[in-house]
Every structure is written in C-alpha cells, then in structure tokens.
Amino acid sequence: MQCALSLARRAEHPTHEVIDLVILDLRLAGEDGMTIARTLRDQSAIPIVMLTGVRDEADRVMGLELGADDYLTKPFSPRELLARIRTVLRRAKSMAAGAVRREIRAYRFGEFELNLRTRRLKPRDGRDISLTNGEFNLLAALLSAAERILTRDQLLEASRVYDNEVYDRAIDIQILRLRRKIEVDPAQPKFIVTERGAGYIFNCPVDVVY
C-alpha cells in the first residue's frame, strides 16, 4: 500500500531511480487508488497494472480511462500476475523499440500534431491536450494506419487493454474520449469514423514528421 503512494509522490518529485512498472491496488486502506493512478499517469507513461475486486467493474473501466495498461481481478495466482507483468513490459519495450526504429517524431493531421517523443497532442494554438496512456497509444495506432480500417482487436492490442469482460466498452470509451478532444462535433466525427461491423478508420490524410 505504501509502495504505491510512494511511487505517486516520486512522480510529483522525480528522482534518478528507474521504475519499470507499477502494480496498484485500487482498494488501498486510507488512500484513493484512482487518485494515485491519475497522479502517476499525469507525470509519466510508466506501465500500470491495476488490482481490482470481482465486482468492481466500474473501477476497472475508470482505471482504464485513466490510462492503466492492464488489470487483474482478485483472487489471482502469482503465476498469472507474473504473466501479466511480462506481457505489459514486453509490449512497452516493443513499442519503444519500434518508435526508435522508425525514427518517427510526430504525426500531423488537420490542425493537430501528435509528438511521439513527448507523447503530447497539440493543436495549432500551442496548448496541450491531455491524453491518457491508452488514448495516446490508440491515437498513434490510428494515425500510423490512416485511411485503413482497424478492427477492435487491433486497436485493443495497440492500446494494451485486456480481459473479455471490458473489451468492447473499453475501446468504445477511449474512442469517445478521443473524439471529444479532437472532433469539432463528436456526434458527427470527421477524423475517427466507425465502420459498422468492421472497426474504426482514421478518415484523414496524415503527415509523418521525422
């Protein structure tokens, strides 16, 4: 319990200590796990694996919205926890290696630029638009495959969301949140368009900045 709180405080006051991943129980005694998750995500892109109760579906959805990379429902075995940790770390490493290999600095579309190094989304007026880790990964996946249909499975893989119980809800929530941040009218999206029975398509030309 104190470890998670300590990590959140370190996020507010960074040190040179390297932390690869955070395991965060959302039901901490005397502490709000959601607040800790929000602080961690606001300050860094460190992978977060949440621990939740069997009946805490609302907490799971909220945690994913805040940018958690995976979650595990209690009770669970140590073997399953280790498997989840290895998977999250492997995907994080793969994504980082891929970004370096392609040497893509940013994507530009419409009046926006998504910087892959700083993980910031900015319109032309220069203000920052805050993105959760999942939202960033999802938008980057859409931009990298602009004008091509991506299935829900492909997008879920890109945004690192797991567990059959929340698959559809998780991806739809993140798409909705992205639309609210980049669309003039989220009800009539021009960028992220739904392809019924297939998935989603980023329906706009995208420029790659090296």
Side-chain angles (χ1 to χ4, degrees):
M1 292 183 288
Q2 294 303 318
C3 290
L5 181 57
S6 175
L7 287 171
R9 287 171 177 163
R10 288 179 194 173
E12 295 175 338
H13 305 285
T15 69
H16 294 293
E17 184 176 355
V18 177
I19 299 171
D20 296 314
L21 180 141
V22 173
I23 301 171
L24 176 61
D25 193 325
L26 295 184
R27 299 293 184 179
L28 296 173
E31 300 293 341
D32 182 357
M34 289 297 180
T35 299
I36 294 174
R38 185 179 293 107
T39 299
L40 288 169
R41 184 52 67 236
D42 286 346
Q43 298 296 327
S44 75
I46 187 170
I48 299 173
V49 176
M50 300 184 310
L51 307 182
T52 70
V54 174
R55 302 182 184 279
D56 295 337
E57 181 178 355
D59 282 352
R60 293 198 296 269
V61 173
M62 185 178 298
L64 293 170
E65 287 187 30
L66 289 177
D69 300 272
D70 195 2
Y71 76 82
L72 201 55
T73 302
K74 301 178 221 177
F76 53 83
S77 68
R79 179 178 295 180
E80 183 180 6
L81 176 60
L82 286 174
R84 297 287 186 125
I85 290 172
R86 291 191 188 103
T87 298
V88 170
L89 289 176
R90 184 169 59 248
R91 295 185 187 212
K93 182 178 180 180
S94 176
M95 289 183 64
V100 171
R101 184 170 58 252
R102 293 190 297 271
E103 297 183 348
I104 296 175
R105 182 171 64 85
Y107 291 112
R108 287 176 180 162
F109 63 96
E111 297 184 354
F112 298 92
E113 177 176 297
L114 181 69
N115 191 304
L116 300 185
R117 296 177 182 175
T118 64
R119 303 175 73 87
R120 298 289 187 183
L121 176 65
K122 290 187 176 183
R124 288 181 182 174
D125 61 17
R127 61 189 173 87
D128 274 341
I129 298 177
S130 176
L131 296 176
T132 67
N133 203 37
E135 289 168 357
F136 169 83
N137 292 337
L138 183 58
L139 182 56
L142 287 164
L143 295 176
S144 69
E147 300 181 285
R148 302 205 310 267
I149 296 174
L150 293 179
T151 66
R152 272 185 168 79
D153 285 344
Q154 289 172 318
L155 292 174
L156 286 163
E157 178 79 8
S159 56
R160 291 179 287 171
V161 178
Y162 305 96
D163 201 296
N164 291 331
E165 292 181 16
V166 295
Y167 264 6
D168 289 343
R169 178 176 296 185
I171 200 67
D172 290 340
I173 286 173
Q174 291 192 70
I175 289 290
L176 177 60
R177 289 168 65 91
L178 277 176
R179 282 173 172 166
R180 288 174 177 169
K181 294 178 179 181
I182 66 175
E183 302 281 3
V184 174
D185 181 4
Q188 300 291 329
K190 302 297 183 182
F191 291 131
I192 305 176
V193 177
T194 303
E195 292 289 333
R196 290 189 178 279
Y200 294 94
I201 182 172
F202 198 85
N203 195 35
C204 174
V206 173
D207 294 324
V208 177
V209 181
Y210 294 95

Short mmCIF file of all heavy atoms in Angstrom, two decimals, residues 144-206:
data_model
loop_
_atom_site.label_atom_id
_atom_site.label_comp_id
_atom_site.label_asym_id
_atom_site.label_seq_id
_atom_site.Cartn_x
_atom_site.Cartn_y
_atom_site.Cartn_z
N SER A 144 -0.96 5.82 -37.49
CA SER A 144 0.03 5.03 -38.23
C SER A 144 -0.61 4.21 -39.35
O SER A 144 0.08 3.75 -40.26
CB SER A 144 0.78 4.10 -37.28
OG SER A 144 -0.08 3.08 -36.79
N ALA A 145 -1.92 4.02 -39.26
CA ALA A 145 -2.65 3.27 -40.29
C ALA A 145 -3.77 4.13 -40.87
O ALA A 145 -4.87 3.65 -41.12
CB ALA A 145 -3.21 1.98 -39.71
N ALA A 146 -3.49 5.41 -41.06
CA ALA A 146 -4.50 6.35 -41.53
C ALA A 146 -5.16 5.88 -42.82
O ALA A 146 -4.50 5.34 -43.71
CB ALA A 146 -3.87 7.72 -41.75
N GLU A 147 -6.48 6.06 -42.88
CA GLU A 147 -7.30 5.72 -44.04
C GLU A 147 -7.34 4.21 -44.30
O GLU A 147 -7.65 3.78 -45.40
CB GLU A 147 -6.83 6.49 -45.27
CG GLU A 147 -6.92 8.01 -45.07
CD GLU A 147 -6.48 8.81 -46.28
OE1 GLU A 147 -5.26 8.89 -46.51
OE2 GLU A 147 -7.35 9.34 -46.99
N ARG A 148 -7.03 3.42 -43.26
CA ARG A 148 -7.20 1.98 -43.32
C ARG A 148 -8.06 1.55 -42.14
O ARG A 148 -7.93 2.09 -41.04
CB ARG A 148 -5.85 1.24 -43.25
CG ARG A 148 -4.88 1.62 -44.34
CD ARG A 148 -3.88 0.50 -44.60
NE ARG A 148 -3.24 0.01 -43.41
CZ ARG A 148 -2.06 0.46 -42.94
NH1 ARG A 148 -1.44 1.44 -43.57
NH2 ARG A 148 -1.53 -0.06 -41.86
N ILE A 149 -8.93 0.58 -42.36
CA ILE A 149 -9.80 0.10 -41.28
C ILE A 149 -8.98 -0.74 -40.31
O ILE A 149 -8.22 -1.63 -40.72
CB ILE A 149 -10.96 -0.74 -41.85
CG1 ILE A 149 -11.87 0.14 -42.73
CG2 ILE A 149 -11.77 -1.36 -40.71
CD1 ILE A 149 -12.96 -0.65 -43.43
N LEU A 150 -9.14 -0.45 -39.01
CA LEU A 150 -8.53 -1.25 -37.96
C LEU A 150 -9.64 -1.91 -37.15
O LEU A 150 -10.60 -1.25 -36.75
CB LEU A 150 -7.66 -0.38 -37.05
CG LEU A 150 -6.41 0.24 -37.68
CD1 LEU A 150 -5.67 1.08 -36.66
CD2 LEU A 150 -5.49 -0.84 -38.23
N THR A 151 -9.51 -3.20 -36.93
CA THR A 151 -10.52 -3.92 -36.15
C THR A 151 -10.38 -3.56 -34.67
O THR A 151 -9.36 -3.02 -34.23
CB THR A 151 -10.36 -5.43 -36.32
OG1 THR A 151 -9.11 -5.84 -35.72
CG2 THR A 151 -10.38 -5.83 -37.79
N ARG A 152 -11.40 -3.90 -33.90
CA ARG A 152 -11.33 -3.68 -32.45
C ARG A 152 -10.15 -4.44 -31.84
O ARG A 152 -9.47 -3.94 -30.94
CB ARG A 152 -12.64 -4.11 -31.79
CG ARG A 152 -13.68 -3.01 -31.73
CD ARG A 152 -14.90 -3.49 -30.95
NE ARG A 152 -15.78 -2.41 -30.64
CZ ARG A 152 -16.64 -1.87 -31.48
NH1 ARG A 152 -16.70 -2.33 -32.73
NH2 ARG A 152 -17.42 -0.87 -31.11
N ASP A 153 -9.92 -5.67 -32.30
CA ASP A 153 -8.81 -6.44 -31.76
C ASP A 153 -7.47 -5.74 -31.99
O ASP A 153 -6.61 -5.71 -31.11
CB ASP A 153 -8.76 -7.84 -32.41
CG ASP A 153 -9.85 -8.75 -31.88
OD1 ASP A 153 -10.43 -8.42 -30.82
OD2 ASP A 153 -10.13 -9.77 -32.53
N GLN A 154 -7.30 -5.17 -33.18
CA GLN A 154 -6.06 -4.46 -33.47
C GLN A 154 -5.91 -3.22 -32.59
O GLN A 154 -4.82 -2.92 -32.10
CB GLN A 154 -6.02 -4.06 -34.95
CG GLN A 154 -5.82 -5.23 -35.89
CD GLN A 154 -5.99 -4.84 -37.35
OE1 GLN A 154 -6.89 -4.09 -37.71
NE2 GLN A 154 -5.11 -5.34 -38.20
N LEU A 155 -7.00 -2.51 -32.38
CA LEU A 155 -6.95 -1.30 -31.57
C LEU A 155 -6.78 -1.64 -30.09
O LEU A 155 -6.07 -0.93 -29.37
CB LEU A 155 -8.23 -0.48 -31.77
CG LEU A 155 -8.36 0.15 -33.17
CD1 LEU A 155 -9.72 0.81 -33.33
CD2 LEU A 155 -7.25 1.16 -33.41
N LEU A 156 -7.40 -2.71 -29.65
CA LEU A 156 -7.23 -3.13 -28.27
C LEU A 156 -5.80 -3.56 -28.00
O LEU A 156 -5.24 -3.29 -26.95
CB LEU A 156 -8.19 -4.28 -27.95
CG LEU A 156 -9.65 -3.85 -27.79
CD1 LEU A 156 -10.57 -5.05 -27.91
CD2 LEU A 156 -9.87 -3.14 -26.47
N GLU A 157 -5.21 -4.23 -28.97
CA GLU A 157 -3.80 -4.62 -28.85
C GLU A 157 -2.91 -3.38 -28.75
O GLU A 157 -2.00 -3.31 -27.92
CB GLU A 157 -3.39 -5.45 -30.07
CG GLU A 157 -1.94 -5.88 -30.10
CD GLU A 157 -1.67 -7.07 -29.20
OE1 GLU A 157 -2.63 -7.65 -28.68
OE2 GLU A 157 -0.49 -7.39 -29.01
N ALA A 158 -3.21 -2.38 -29.58
CA ALA A 158 -2.40 -1.16 -29.60
C ALA A 158 -2.53 -0.38 -28.31
O ALA A 158 -1.56 0.21 -27.82
CB ALA A 158 -2.82 -0.28 -30.78
N SER A 159 -3.74 -0.34 -27.74
CA SER A 159 -3.94 0.44 -26.52
C SER A 159 -3.72 -0.38 -25.26
O SER A 159 -3.91 0.09 -24.15
CB SER A 159 -5.35 1.06 -26.50
OG SER A 159 -6.33 0.06 -26.64
N ARG A 160 -3.36 -1.64 -25.42
CA ARG A 160 -2.99 -2.52 -24.32
C ARG A 160 -4.10 -2.64 -23.28
O ARG A 160 -3.91 -2.42 -22.09
CB ARG A 160 -1.68 -2.06 -23.68
CG ARG A 160 -0.49 -2.27 -24.58
CD ARG A 160 0.76 -1.79 -23.93
NE ARG A 160 0.83 -0.34 -23.89
CZ ARG A 160 1.74 0.35 -23.22
NH1 ARG A 160 2.63 -0.29 -22.49
NH2 ARG A 160 1.77 1.65 -23.25
N VAL A 161 -5.29 -2.97 -23.73
CA VAL A 161 -6.43 -3.20 -22.84
C VAL A 161 -6.77 -4.68 -22.91
O VAL A 161 -6.83 -5.25 -23.99
CB VAL A 161 -7.64 -2.37 -23.26
CG1 VAL A 161 -8.83 -2.65 -22.36
CG2 VAL A 161 -7.30 -0.89 -23.22
N TYR A 162 -7.00 -5.30 -21.77
CA TYR A 162 -7.22 -6.73 -21.74
C TYR A 162 -8.53 -7.10 -21.04
O TYR A 162 -9.17 -6.26 -20.43
CB TYR A 162 -6.07 -7.44 -21.00
CG TYR A 162 -4.74 -7.11 -21.58
CD1 TYR A 162 -3.96 -6.10 -21.03
CD2 TYR A 162 -4.27 -7.77 -22.71
CE1 TYR A 162 -2.74 -5.77 -21.58
CE2 TYR A 162 -3.06 -7.44 -23.27
CZ TYR A 162 -2.28 -6.45 -22.70
OH TYR A 162 -1.08 -6.12 -23.24
N ASP A 163 -8.84 -8.39 -21.09
CA ASP A 163 -9.97 -9.04 -20.40
C ASP A 163 -11.25 -8.92 -21.21
O ASP A 163 -11.72 -7.84 -21.52
CB ASP A 163 -10.20 -8.46 -19.00
CG ASP A 163 -10.97 -9.46 -18.15
OD1 ASP A 163 -12.13 -9.75 -18.49
OD2 ASP A 163 -10.42 -9.95 -17.17
N ASN A 164 -11.82 -10.06 -21.54
CA ASN A 164 -13.02 -10.11 -22.38
C ASN A 164 -14.19 -9.31 -21.82
O ASN A 164 -15.02 -8.81 -22.56
CB ASN A 164 -13.45 -11.56 -22.59
CG ASN A 164 -12.47 -12.34 -23.44
OD1 ASN A 164 -11.79 -11.74 -24.28
ND2 ASN A 164 -12.38 -13.63 -23.23
N GLU A 165 -14.27 -9.20 -20.50
CA GLU A 165 -15.42 -8.54 -19.89
C GLU A 165 -15.55 -7.08 -20.29
O GLU A 165 -16.63 -6.54 -20.32
CB GLU A 165 -15.32 -8.63 -18.36
CG GLU A 165 -15.47 -10.03 -17.81
CD GLU A 165 -15.40 -10.04 -16.30
OE1 GLU A 165 -15.54 -8.95 -15.71
OE2 GLU A 165 -15.20 -11.10 -15.72
N VAL A 166 -14.44 -6.42 -20.58
CA VAL A 166 -14.49 -4.97 -20.84
C VAL A 166 -13.96 -4.60 -22.22
O VAL A 166 -13.77 -3.44 -22.50
CB VAL A 166 -13.71 -4.19 -19.76
CG1 VAL A 166 -14.34 -4.34 -18.41
CG2 VAL A 166 -12.26 -4.61 -19.72
N TYR A 167 -13.74 -5.58 -23.07
CA TYR A 167 -13.16 -5.27 -24.39
C TYR A 167 -13.93 -4.18 -25.12
O TYR A 167 -13.41 -3.12 -25.40
CB TYR A 167 -13.15 -6.53 -25.24
CG TYR A 167 -11.83 -7.27 -25.23
CD1 TYR A 167 -10.79 -6.87 -24.40
CD2 TYR A 167 -11.63 -8.36 -26.05
CE1 TYR A 167 -9.58 -7.55 -24.39
CE2 TYR A 167 -10.42 -9.05 -26.05
CZ TYR A 167 -9.41 -8.64 -25.21
OH TYR A 167 -8.23 -9.30 -25.22
N ASP A 168 -15.19 -4.45 -25.46
CA ASP A 168 -15.94 -3.50 -26.28
C ASP A 168 -16.12 -2.18 -25.57
O ASP A 168 -15.97 -1.11 -26.16
CB ASP A 168 -17.31 -4.08 -26.66
CG ASP A 168 -17.17 -5.23 -27.66
OD1 ASP A 168 -16.11 -5.33 -28.28
OD2 ASP A 168 -18.13 -6.00 -27.81
N ARG A 169 -16.49 -2.23 -24.29
CA ARG A 169 -16.71 -1.00 -23.56
C ARG A 169 -15.43 -0.17 -23.48
O ARG A 169 -15.46 1.05 -23.64
CB ARG A 169 -17.22 -1.31 -22.15
CG ARG A 169 -17.43 -0.07 -21.31
CD ARG A 169 -18.03 -0.37 -19.96
NE ARG A 169 -19.37 -0.93 -20.08
CZ ARG A 169 -20.14 -1.18 -19.03
NH1 ARG A 169 -19.71 -0.95 -17.82
NH2 ARG A 169 -21.35 -1.69 -19.21
N ALA A 170 -14.30 -0.81 -23.20
CA ALA A 170 -13.04 -0.09 -23.04
C ALA A 170 -12.66 0.63 -24.32
O ALA A 170 -12.29 1.81 -24.31
CB ALA A 170 -11.93 -1.05 -22.62
N ILE A 171 -12.73 -0.04 -25.46
CA ILE A 171 -12.31 0.59 -26.71
C ILE A 171 -13.29 1.68 -27.10
O ILE A 171 -12.89 2.76 -27.56
CB ILE A 171 -12.16 -0.45 -27.85
CG1 ILE A 171 -11.27 0.12 -28.97
CG2 ILE A 171 -13.48 -0.88 -28.42
CD1 ILE A 171 -9.85 0.33 -28.56
N ASP A 172 -14.57 1.47 -26.90
CA ASP A 172 -15.55 2.49 -27.25
C ASP A 172 -15.43 3.72 -26.37
O ASP A 172 -15.59 4.85 -26.85
CB ASP A 172 -16.97 1.91 -27.15
CG ASP A 172 -17.25 0.89 -28.24
OD1 ASP A 172 -16.53 0.91 -29.26
OD2 ASP A 172 -18.17 0.07 -28.09
N ILE A 173 -15.12 3.53 -25.10
CA ILE A 173 -14.92 4.66 -24.20
C ILE A 173 -13.72 5.49 -24.65
O ILE A 173 -13.79 6.73 -24.70
CB ILE A 173 -14.71 4.17 -22.75
CG1 ILE A 173 -16.03 3.70 -22.16
CG2 ILE A 173 -14.12 5.28 -21.88
CD1 ILE A 173 -15.91 3.05 -20.80
N GLN A 174 -12.63 4.83 -25.01
CA GLN A 174 -11.44 5.57 -25.43
C GLN A 174 -11.68 6.28 -26.76
O GLN A 174 -11.20 7.41 -26.96
CB GLN A 174 -10.25 4.62 -25.52
CG GLN A 174 -9.80 4.12 -24.16
CD GLN A 174 -8.46 3.42 -24.22
OE1 GLN A 174 -7.43 4.06 -24.43
NE2 GLN A 174 -8.47 2.12 -24.05
N ILE A 175 -12.40 5.65 -27.69
CA ILE A 175 -12.73 6.31 -28.95
C ILE A 175 -13.59 7.55 -28.68
O ILE A 175 -13.36 8.62 -29.25
CB ILE A 175 -13.49 5.34 -29.90
CG1 ILE A 175 -12.53 4.26 -30.43
CG2 ILE A 175 -14.13 6.11 -31.05
CD1 ILE A 175 -11.50 4.75 -31.40
N LEU A 176 -14.58 7.41 -27.80
CA LEU A 176 -15.45 8.53 -27.45
C LEU A 176 -14.65 9.67 -26.85
O LEU A 176 -14.84 10.85 -27.21
CB LEU A 176 -16.54 8.07 -26.48
CG LEU A 176 -17.49 9.16 -25.96
CD1 LEU A 176 -18.25 9.81 -27.11
CD2 LEU A 176 -18.47 8.56 -24.95
N ARG A 177 -13.73 9.34 -25.95
CA ARG A 177 -12.92 10.38 -25.30
C ARG A 177 -12.01 11.07 -26.30
O ARG A 177 -11.81 12.30 -26.25
CB ARG A 177 -12.11 9.76 -24.16
CG ARG A 177 -12.97 9.36 -22.96
CD ARG A 177 -12.19 8.50 -21.99
NE ARG A 177 -11.09 9.23 -21.40
CZ ARG A 177 -11.17 9.91 -20.26
NH1 ARG A 177 -12.31 9.96 -19.59
NH2 ARG A 177 -10.12 10.54 -19.77
N LEU A 178 -11.44 10.31 -27.23
CA LEU A 178 -10.60 10.91 -28.26
C LEU A 178 -11.41 11.84 -29.15
O LEU A 178 -10.95 12.94 -29.51
CB LEU A 178 -9.94 9.82 -29.11
CG LEU A 178 -8.66 9.20 -28.56
CD1 LEU A 178 -8.20 8.06 -29.47
CD2 LEU A 178 -7.56 10.24 -28.43
N ARG A 179 -12.60 11.41 -29.52
CA ARG A 179 -13.45 12.26 -30.36
C ARG A 179 -13.76 13.58 -29.68
O ARG A 179 -13.79 14.64 -30.32
CB ARG A 179 -14.75 11.52 -30.70
CG ARG A 179 -14.58 10.47 -31.80
CD ARG A 179 -15.84 9.65 -31.97
NE ARG A 179 -15.75 8.78 -33.14
CZ ARG A 179 -16.58 7.77 -33.36
NH1 ARG A 179 -17.56 7.51 -32.49
NH2 ARG A 179 -16.45 7.03 -34.45
N ARG A 180 -14.00 13.54 -28.38
CA ARG A 180 -14.30 14.76 -27.65
C ARG A 180 -13.12 15.72 -27.63
O ARG A 180 -13.29 16.93 -27.50
CB ARG A 180 -14.70 14.42 -26.21
CG ARG A 180 -16.08 13.78 -26.10
CD ARG A 180 -16.34 13.32 -24.68
NE ARG A 180 -17.68 12.76 -24.52
CZ ARG A 180 -18.09 12.10 -23.45
NH1 ARG A 180 -17.24 11.90 -22.43
NH2 ARG A 180 -19.32 11.64 -23.38
N LYS A 181 -11.92 15.18 -27.81
CA LYS A 181 -10.72 16.01 -27.74
C LYS A 181 -10.26 16.54 -29.10
O LYS A 181 -9.55 17.56 -29.16
CB LYS A 181 -9.59 15.23 -27.08
CG LYS A 181 -9.87 14.92 -25.61
CD LYS A 181 -8.77 14.09 -24.96
CE LYS A 181 -9.10 13.86 -23.49
NZ LYS A 181 -8.07 13.07 -22.78
N ILE A 182 -10.65 15.86 -30.19
CA ILE A 182 -10.13 16.30 -31.50
C ILE A 182 -11.21 16.65 -32.52
O ILE A 182 -10.91 17.29 -33.53
CB ILE A 182 -9.19 15.23 -32.11
CG1 ILE A 182 -9.97 13.96 -32.47
CG2 ILE A 182 -8.03 14.94 -31.18
CD1 ILE A 182 -9.11 12.92 -33.18
N GLU A 183 -12.45 16.23 -32.28
CA GLU A 183 -13.51 16.48 -33.25
C GLU A 183 -14.23 17.80 -32.93
O GLU A 183 -14.46 18.13 -31.77
CB GLU A 183 -14.53 15.34 -33.24
CG GLU A 183 -13.97 13.97 -33.54
CD GLU A 183 -13.75 13.73 -35.03
OE1 GLU A 183 -13.98 14.67 -35.83
OE2 GLU A 183 -13.36 12.61 -35.39
N VAL A 184 -14.61 18.52 -33.98
CA VAL A 184 -15.42 19.72 -33.80
C VAL A 184 -16.79 19.33 -33.26
O VAL A 184 -17.32 19.96 -32.34
CB VAL A 184 -15.57 20.49 -35.13
CG1 VAL A 184 -16.54 21.66 -34.97
CG2 VAL A 184 -14.21 20.99 -35.61
N ASP A 185 -17.36 18.27 -33.83
CA ASP A 185 -18.65 17.74 -33.38
C ASP A 185 -18.47 16.24 -33.16
O ASP A 185 -18.52 15.46 -34.12
CB ASP A 185 -19.74 18.01 -34.41
CG ASP A 185 -21.10 17.48 -33.98
OD1 ASP A 185 -21.20 16.97 -32.84
OD2 ASP A 185 -22.05 17.57 -34.77
N PRO A 186 -18.25 15.80 -31.91
CA PRO A 186 -18.03 14.37 -31.64
C PRO A 186 -19.18 13.49 -32.11
O PRO A 186 -18.97 12.30 -32.39
CB PRO A 186 -17.91 14.33 -30.11
CG PRO A 186 -17.46 15.70 -29.73
CD PRO A 186 -18.15 16.62 -30.69
N ALA A 187 -20.40 14.05 -32.21
CA ALA A 187 -21.54 13.26 -32.66
C ALA A 187 -21.49 13.02 -34.17
O ALA A 187 -22.13 12.09 -34.68
CB ALA A 187 -22.86 13.95 -32.28
N GLN A 188 -20.75 13.86 -34.88
CA GLN A 188 -20.58 13.72 -36.33
C GLN A 188 -19.08 13.73 -36.63
O GLN A 188 -18.55 14.69 -37.21
CB GLN A 188 -21.29 14.86 -37.07
CG GLN A 188 -22.78 14.93 -36.84
CD GLN A 188 -23.50 13.76 -37.49
OE1 GLN A 188 -23.08 13.24 -38.51
NE2 GLN A 188 -24.62 13.34 -36.88
N PRO A 189 -18.36 12.68 -36.24
CA PRO A 189 -16.90 12.69 -36.36
C PRO A 189 -16.40 12.73 -37.80
O PRO A 189 -16.97 12.08 -38.69
CB PRO A 189 -16.49 11.39 -35.67
CG PRO A 189 -17.69 10.50 -35.81
CD PRO A 189 -18.88 11.41 -35.71
N LYS A 190 -15.35 13.50 -38.00
CA LYS A 190 -14.71 13.59 -39.31
C LYS A 190 -13.38 12.83 -39.34
O LYS A 190 -12.94 12.39 -40.40
CB LYS A 190 -14.46 15.06 -39.68
CG LYS A 190 -15.71 15.92 -39.70
CD LYS A 190 -16.69 15.45 -40.76
CE LYS A 190 -17.92 16.37 -40.83
NZ LYS A 190 -18.92 15.88 -41.82
N PHE A 191 -12.74 12.72 -38.18
CA PHE A 191 -11.45 12.04 -38.11
C PHE A 191 -11.62 10.54 -37.85
O PHE A 191 -11.25 9.72 -38.68
CB PHE A 191 -10.58 12.66 -37.00
CG PHE A 191 -10.10 14.05 -37.31
CD1 PHE A 191 -10.25 15.07 -36.38
CD2 PHE A 191 -9.50 14.36 -38.51
CE1 PHE A 191 -9.81 16.35 -36.63
CE2 PHE A 191 -9.06 15.64 -38.80
CZ PHE A 191 -9.22 16.64 -37.85
N ILE A 192 -12.16 10.19 -36.68
CA ILE A 192 -12.29 8.78 -36.29
C ILE A 192 -13.70 8.32 -36.65
O ILE A 192 -14.67 8.65 -35.95
CB ILE A 192 -12.02 8.59 -34.80
CG1 ILE A 192 -10.65 9.15 -34.42
CG2 ILE A 192 -12.08 7.10 -34.44
CD1 ILE A 192 -10.34 9.10 -32.95
N VAL A 193 -13.80 7.56 -37.71
CA VAL A 193 -15.10 7.16 -38.25
C VAL A 193 -15.35 5.68 -37.98
O VAL A 193 -14.46 4.84 -38.15
CB VAL A 193 -15.16 7.44 -39.77
CG1 VAL A 193 -16.48 6.96 -40.36
CG2 VAL A 193 -14.95 8.92 -40.05
N THR A 194 -16.56 5.37 -37.56
CA THR A 194 -16.95 3.98 -37.31
C THR A 194 -17.29 3.28 -38.62
O THR A 194 -18.05 3.80 -39.43
CB THR A 194 -18.18 3.93 -36.38
OG1 THR A 194 -17.88 4.61 -35.16
CG2 THR A 194 -18.56 2.48 -36.07
N GLU A 195 -16.71 2.10 -38.80
CA GLU A 195 -17.05 1.24 -39.93
C GLU A 195 -17.86 0.08 -39.37
O GLU A 195 -17.31 -0.82 -38.73
CB GLU A 195 -15.79 0.73 -40.63
CG GLU A 195 -14.99 1.80 -41.35
CD GLU A 195 -15.69 2.32 -42.60
OE1 GLU A 195 -16.50 1.55 -43.18
OE2 GLU A 195 -15.45 3.48 -42.98
N ARG A 196 -19.17 0.12 -39.56
CA ARG A 196 -20.06 -0.85 -38.94
C ARG A 196 -19.64 -2.29 -39.25
O ARG A 196 -19.42 -2.65 -40.39
CB ARG A 196 -21.50 -0.63 -39.40
CG ARG A 196 -22.11 0.65 -38.85
CD ARG A 196 -23.59 0.71 -39.15
NE ARG A 196 -24.18 1.92 -38.59
CZ ARG A 196 -24.55 2.07 -37.33
NH1 ARG A 196 -24.39 1.07 -36.49
NH2 ARG A 196 -25.07 3.20 -36.89
N GLY A 197 -19.55 -3.08 -38.19
CA GLY A 197 -19.21 -4.48 -38.34
C GLY A 197 -17.74 -4.74 -38.62
O GLY A 197 -17.34 -5.89 -38.75
N ALA A 198 -16.94 -3.68 -38.72
CA ALA A 198 -15.53 -3.86 -39.06
C ALA A 198 -14.60 -3.27 -38.01
O ALA A 198 -13.66 -3.92 -37.55
CB ALA A 198 -15.23 -3.25 -40.43
N GLY A 199 -14.86 -2.03 -37.61
CA GLY A 199 -13.97 -1.38 -36.65
C GLY A 199 -14.01 0.12 -36.82
O GLY A 199 -15.07 0.72 -36.96
N TYR A 200 -12.83 0.73 -36.84
CA TYR A 200 -12.72 2.18 -36.97
C TYR A 200 -11.68 2.52 -38.02
O TYR A 200 -10.76 1.76 -38.30
CB TYR A 200 -12.32 2.83 -35.64
CG TYR A 200 -13.36 2.71 -34.56
CD1 TYR A 200 -13.32 1.66 -33.64
CD2 TYR A 200 -14.39 3.64 -34.44
CE1 TYR A 200 -14.27 1.54 -32.64
CE2 TYR A 200 -15.35 3.52 -33.45
CZ TYR A 200 -15.28 2.47 -32.55
OH TYR A 200 -16.22 2.36 -31.56
N ILE A 201 -11.82 3.72 -38.61
CA ILE A 201 -10.85 4.20 -39.59
C ILE A 201 -10.54 5.66 -39.30
O ILE A 201 -11.44 6.44 -38.96
CB ILE A 201 -11.39 4.04 -41.03
CG1 ILE A 201 -10.35 4.50 -42.05
CG2 ILE A 201 -12.69 4.80 -41.22
CD1 ILE A 201 -10.73 4.19 -43.50
N PHE A 202 -9.26 6.03 -39.40
CA PHE A 202 -8.89 7.43 -39.29
C PHE A 202 -9.01 8.03 -40.67
O PHE A 202 -8.16 7.84 -41.53
CB PHE A 202 -7.47 7.61 -38.73
CG PHE A 202 -7.22 8.99 -38.21
CD1 PHE A 202 -7.58 9.33 -36.92
CD2 PHE A 202 -6.67 9.97 -39.04
CE1 PHE A 202 -7.38 10.62 -36.44
CE2 PHE A 202 -6.48 11.26 -38.56
CZ PHE A 202 -6.84 11.59 -37.26
N ASN A 203 -10.10 8.76 -40.88
CA ASN A 203 -10.52 9.18 -42.21
C ASN A 203 -9.95 10.54 -42.59
O ASN A 203 -10.68 11.48 -42.92
CB ASN A 203 -12.06 9.22 -42.26
CG ASN A 203 -12.60 9.29 -43.67
OD1 ASN A 203 -12.01 8.70 -44.58
ND2 ASN A 203 -13.69 9.99 -43.86
N CYS A 204 -8.63 10.66 -42.55
CA CYS A 204 -7.98 11.93 -42.85
C CYS A 204 -6.52 11.66 -43.22
O CYS A 204 -5.89 10.80 -42.61
CB CYS A 204 -8.04 12.84 -41.62
SG CYS A 204 -7.13 14.40 -41.77
N PRO A 205 -5.99 12.39 -44.21
CA PRO A 205 -4.56 12.23 -44.54
C PRO A 205 -3.69 12.61 -43.33
O PRO A 205 -3.99 13.55 -42.60
CB PRO A 205 -4.33 13.19 -45.71
CG PRO A 205 -5.70 13.41 -46.28
CD PRO A 205 -6.65 13.33 -45.11
N VAL A 206 -2.61 11.86 -43.13
CA VAL A 206 -1.70 12.11 -42.02
C VAL A 206 -0.29 12.30 -42.56
O VAL A 206 0.20 11.51 -43.37
CB VAL A 206 -1.74 10.93 -41.01
CG1 VAL A 206 -0.67 11.13 -39.94
CG2 VAL A 206 -3.11 10.83 -40.39
#
